[in-house]
Amino acid sequence: MVLPRGSKERFHVILIKPSKYDDDGYVIRWWRAVVTSNSLACLNALTESARDRHVLGSEVEIAIHLCDETVQRVPIRKWARSIKKAGETGIVCLVGVQSNQFPRAVDLAKEFQKEGIRSMIGGFHVSGCLEMLPELTPEIKEARDAGITLVAGEVENRWDGLLREAYEGTLQPIYNFVADKPSLEGVPGPLVSKNDLKYFINAQSSFDAGRGCPFHCSFCTIINIQGNQMRGRTADDIERLVRLNHAQGLTHFFITDDNFARNRGWEAIADRLIHLREQEGLHSSIMIQTDTLAHKIPRFIEKMTRAGCRRVFIGLESVNPDNLAECGKRQNMLSEYRRMLQTWRDHNAITYAGYIIGFPGDTYESIMRDVEYLKREIPLDFAEFFIWTPLPGSKDHQALYRKGARMNPDMNLYETAHVVMEHPKMSTDELMRAYHDAWSSFYSKEHCLTLLKRRKGPRRRLLFASLVWFRSTVFLENIHPLLGGYIRLKGRKNRRPGYPIESFWIYYMKRFADFFRYSVGMIQLVSEMYGLVRTATLPEFADYEDIATKPETTETAGGLSLIQKQKRAVVA
């Protein structure tokens, strides 16, 4: 390659967070989405650091391209042809790939390789399979045999070397770094520009203050890949990230730690965020994830809400003690649920909880009964329902794999909204009915009014916005809120291999019908929600209380029905 005098050779690093396919084979993509990718931000920061340190040599410039496929179409041919036309080279990195995204990631990698650009895939699916299983699974073998490099584990200590090997054309088929648990102190933290977040509601940034979790839930992949020993960034690291984001006008943050309450540096981080907020006027709106016992940590809730925590996701999982024991979630004490959620409410934080249905002992009737307990006796703002799924990388999946249990081989279905194996007490149709009915029950018009009446002041606006998000993605698009957004975008030819490409007229007639249905449905949904807000603000509900929100007494502590269930479980 002949370069103009004084110019540098360029090596392109294309970082892509892949989406997944819907049930019709179309890539899930939105005009505006909600959940950003922390993995993409991490790899972007590491690549920028490598570029600034000239890890490929002083005469080689690293050109970085970012794409989150949930909101952007991947311009495969445009990028590939531009690189080849300039006589340059590059590497495509599919980052943070979960099991349900793996089929799409492989298809993207193959398309780039047809254009002459090598690719590698990392994330939880590759890491979980290589760490927990005795052999390569069929989809991993297929990717390897297609010439795709597979990377397991965290790469903070390895990224420079991988980039050098990619540049030199010496990448190996598989790298397994799972045993290497790098320190996060002083490491470039996750960061993207505000422009890269322009397609997301609220332009929410994210960072992981730490990794790992000390608990032993059988369905969890985090503990087997990131470990049970907590590792974290320092308060100085977090301050730097917050300042860099505020300088861009980004003030909303999702701290992606699987369990921030068990981060040993949580208090130092909280104190630093409080200082920035109260002494320097750097106000941040924060969401965290934590466990059901965080309220017992002295000062945790008080300091986190002072620091700006407005939303908290809690691993509730179930109100059935048998189910909690089944999945190793013994730290979840039913008698503490109500007290824990009341404490967060007292500090004006909106609460979200993960709730799993389809445990081996579940029936349709038991699921719907427990959802009613959840609605009536627990002061929870949002329930996120998931179908019990043996995710690759979890103890559940490992045990079933070793037994030779029949599990659906299509990884696209492993997003916890599909049934991927037979249930001992319910048919697939019955379990799917329970899943959909759980959403319909909790987010019914009647219960949404209850949720709005329970909330007073400015948090009611946040509750309203999130209810619109949840109800629209579930009821109008039949997609889980964590995969959702606003106004679905599709591409006629952007379809999973094996599905037919529809004719121009048929496709656009269907898209027009879909858009019309969605628009009418959204107008009706928002109008209904505004009506519920007006009702909730009537004077007669100014002092509204119910069994879930009444101040705790000896008689109401934990919820009477929940205590009775717990006692029955102990006796049994």
Side-chain angles (χ1 to χ4, degrees):
M1 175 175 57
V2 179
L3 294 170
R5 181 172 296 181
S7 67
K8 288 186 176 183
E9 178 184 353
R10 289 206 305 173
F11 182 72
H12 297 261
V13 178
I14 300 173
L15 303 173
I16 301 173
K17 174 63 176 179
S19 184
K20 71 177 297 291
Y21 297 109
D22 65 15
D23 291 343
D24 294 321
Y26 288 104
V27 175
I28 296 178
R29 185 162 56 94
W30 304 93
W31 171 70
R32 290 292 183 272
V34 180
V35 181
T36 57
S37 170
N38 190 66
S39 297
L40 189 62
C42 282
L43 267 295
N44 178 62
L46 292 174
T47 308
E48 287 183 343
S49 174
R51 177 197 62 196
D52 296 343
R53 290 181 288 108
H54 306 290
V55 299
L56 301 184
S58 59
E59 296 303 315
V60 181
E61 175 189 353
I62 295 178
I64 305 171
H65 310 268
L66 263 66
C67 181
D68 189 324
E69 198 184 20
T70 61
V71 290
Q72 296 169 281
R73 189 167 186 171
V74 182
I76 298 173
R77 291 185 178 179
K78 177 182 176 182
W79 276 341
R81 292 175 182 179
S82 174
I83 291 170
K84 287 192 290 185
K85 183 177 180 180
E88 297 166 347
T89 58
I91 182 71
V92 173
C93 309
L94 287 306
V95 307
V97 179
Q98 300 172 8
S99 294
N100 67 87
Q101 298 159 343
F102 190 75
R104 177 58 182 166
V106 170
D107 291 340
L108 283 170
K110 288 179 178 179
E111 288 297 313
F112 273 105
Q113 298 205 156
K114 286 180 184 178
E115 298 290 338
I117 300 181
R118 287 288 308 274
S119 57
M120 54 182 170
I121 297 176
F124 272 87
H125 183 68
V126 174
S127 301
C129 288
L130 267 60
E131 176 67 10
M132 300 294 286
L133 302 180
E135 58 194 7
L136 298 183
T137 56
E139 75 279 357
I140 296 289
K141 288 180 181 178
E142 178 190 352
R144 179 202 60 186
D145 294 344
I148 301 167
T149 292
L150 302 167
V151 182
E154 302 169 45
V155 297
E156 273 76 7
N157 293 342
R158 309 283 187 164
W159 193 237
D160 289 358
L162 286 170
L163 290 179
R164 290 191 190 99
E165 292 182 31
Y167 171 68
E168 294 165 359
T170 59
L171 282 173
Q172 301 300 307
I174 294 177
Y175 296 87
N176 189 347
F177 304 138
V178 174
D180 180 12
K181 303 292 192 293
S183 169
L184 300 180
E185 296 184 7
V187 174
L191 188 69
V192 294
S193 71
K194 186 175 183 179
N195 185 62
D196 292 315
L197 298 176
K198 63 185 177 183
Y199 299 113
F200 291 90
I201 300 296
N202 289 331
Q204 176 178 271
S205 186
S206 67
F207 59 83
D208 49 347
R211 295 176 190 166
C213 181
F215 297 119
H216 299 276
C217 308
S218 64
F219 57 80
C220 182
T221 61
I222 294 286
I223 55 177
N224 301 312
I225 298 169
Q226 295 184 350
N228 285 121
Q229 297 296 318
M230 302 295 291
R231 295 166 288 125
R233 305 184 193 276
T234 66
D236 289 340
D237 295 333
I238 301 305
E239 178 181 346
R240 176 179 175 275
L241 286 171
V242 170
R243 288 187 183 278
L244 287 172
N245 278 286
H246 271 268
Q248 301 184 76
L250 298 173
T251 61
H252 290 71
F253 300 96
F254 176 25
I255 301 179
T256 63
D257 299 36
D258 191 60
N259 192 344
F260 184 69
R262 305 303 156 179
N263 185 319
R264 286 174 291 184
W266 76 261
E267 191 161 24
I269 292 171
D271 287 340
R272 191 67 59 88
L273 292 171
I274 290 170
H275 173 83
L276 293 174
R277 183 181 188 85
E278 297 180 355
Q279 302 301 319
E280 300 190 34
L282 294 180
H283 292 254
S284 298
S285 178
I286 297 169
M287 180 174 183
I288 64 171
Q289 300 182 116
T290 187
D291 60 66
T292 59
L293 297 178
H295 65 296
K296 290 193 169 186
I297 301 174
R299 304 176 300 281
F300 180 76
I301 292 180
E302 176 190 356
K303 285 197 172 185
M304 287 310 303
T305 49
R306 275 185 66 194
C309 181
R310 297 292 175 262
R311 296 181 293 164
V312 56
F313 177 88
I314 302 159
L316 204 70
E317 318 309 358
S318 182
V319 296
N320 186 318
D322 295 330
N323 288 343
L324 294 172
E326 173 77 23
C327 68
K329 199 90 176 179
R330 299 183 185 278
Q331 70 272 17
N332 281 23
M333 303 297 295
L334 298 180
S335 58
E336 293 289 338
Y337 279 8
R338 190 168 179 275
R339 184 178 300 116
M340 173 266 298
L341 289 165
Q342 285 280 29
T343 306
W344 282 110
R345 285 179 59 85
D346 290 344
H347 288 80
N348 220 14
I350 297 287
T351 54
Y352 300 72
Y355 195 92
I356 300 173
I357 66 174
F359 282 108
D362 277 342
T363 64
Y364 177 86
E365 291 74 20
S366 71
I367 290 169
M368 299 313 298
R369 182 190 66 229
D370 290 346
V371 170
E372 288 303 313
Y373 281 129
L374 194 67
K375 291 162 55 181
R376 185 177 66 248
E377 300 190 26
I378 298 180
L380 176 68
D381 295 305
F382 290 91
E384 298 181 16
F385 296 103
F386 304 94
I387 295 175
W388 181 86
T389 302
L391 294 173
S394 68
K395 287 287 187 181
D396 287 340
H397 181 270
Q398 183 188 57
L400 291 166
Y401 187 92
R402 286 174 172 172
K403 290 178 182 177
R406 293 179 58 187
M407 294 180 282
N408 197 309
D410 184 2
M411 290 296 115
N412 190 66
L413 302 178
Y414 283 67
E415 87 287 58
T416 69
H418 287 84
V419 179
V420 299
M421 63 178 297
E422 292 183 0
H423 189 274
K425 294 186 177 181
M426 289 183 283
S427 67
T428 296
D429 289 343
E430 191 174 20
L431 180 49
M432 287 304 301
R433 181 164 67 94
Y435 174 71
H436 290 301
D437 287 354
W439 283 105
S440 297
S441 177
F442 195 91
Y443 294 99
S444 65
K445 179 179 178 180
E446 294 74 19
H447 192 57
C448 284
L449 177 58
T450 297
L451 295 173
L452 289 164
K453 288 191 294 186
R454 287 175 180 174
R455 280 288 175 182
K456 310 294 191 298
R459 291 295 172 269
R460 184 177 279 164
R461 292 196 295 271
L462 180 56
L463 184 71
F464 167 84
S466 293
L467 283 172
V468 170
W469 163 30
F470 272 52
R471 296 184 86 204
S472 64
T473 54
V474 172
F475 299 145
L476 299 182
E477 294 287 0
N478 193 29
I479 290 176
H480 196 283
L482 296 185
L483 299 175
Y486 296 98
I487 305 181
R488 180 73 190 280
L489 303 177
K490 296 181 182 179
R492 185 171 69 91
K493 298 181 180 180
N494 203 16
R495 204 171 191 188
R496 190 175 189 181
Y499 283 79
I501 302 300
E502 295 181 310
S503 69
F504 180 89
W505 292 111
I506 291 176
Y507 171 79
Y508 281 102
M509 286 175 63
K510 287 183 177 179
R511 289 298 297 131
F512 177 80
D514 288 343
F515 182 74
F516 180 79
R517 176 189 57 80
Y518 177 85
S519 300
V520 172
M522 181 61 83
I523 291 171
Q524 292 174 336
L525 187 150
V526 172
S527 297
E528 180 178 83
M529 288 302 304
Y530 271 118
L532 294 178
V533 170
R534 286 194 295 270
T535 301
T537 55
L538 291 174
E540 61 196 87
F541 298 124
D543 299 316
Y544 176 82
E545 284 185 339
D546 56 28
I547 187 173
T549 58
K550 284 181 180 178
E552 186 174 284
T553 64
T554 303
E555 290 75 20
T556 62
L560 181 59
S561 298
L562 291 177
I563 288 180
Q564 289 174 337
K565 288 180 69 177
Q566 193 173 32
K567 287 181 177 178
R568 287 200 299 270
V570 171
V571 171

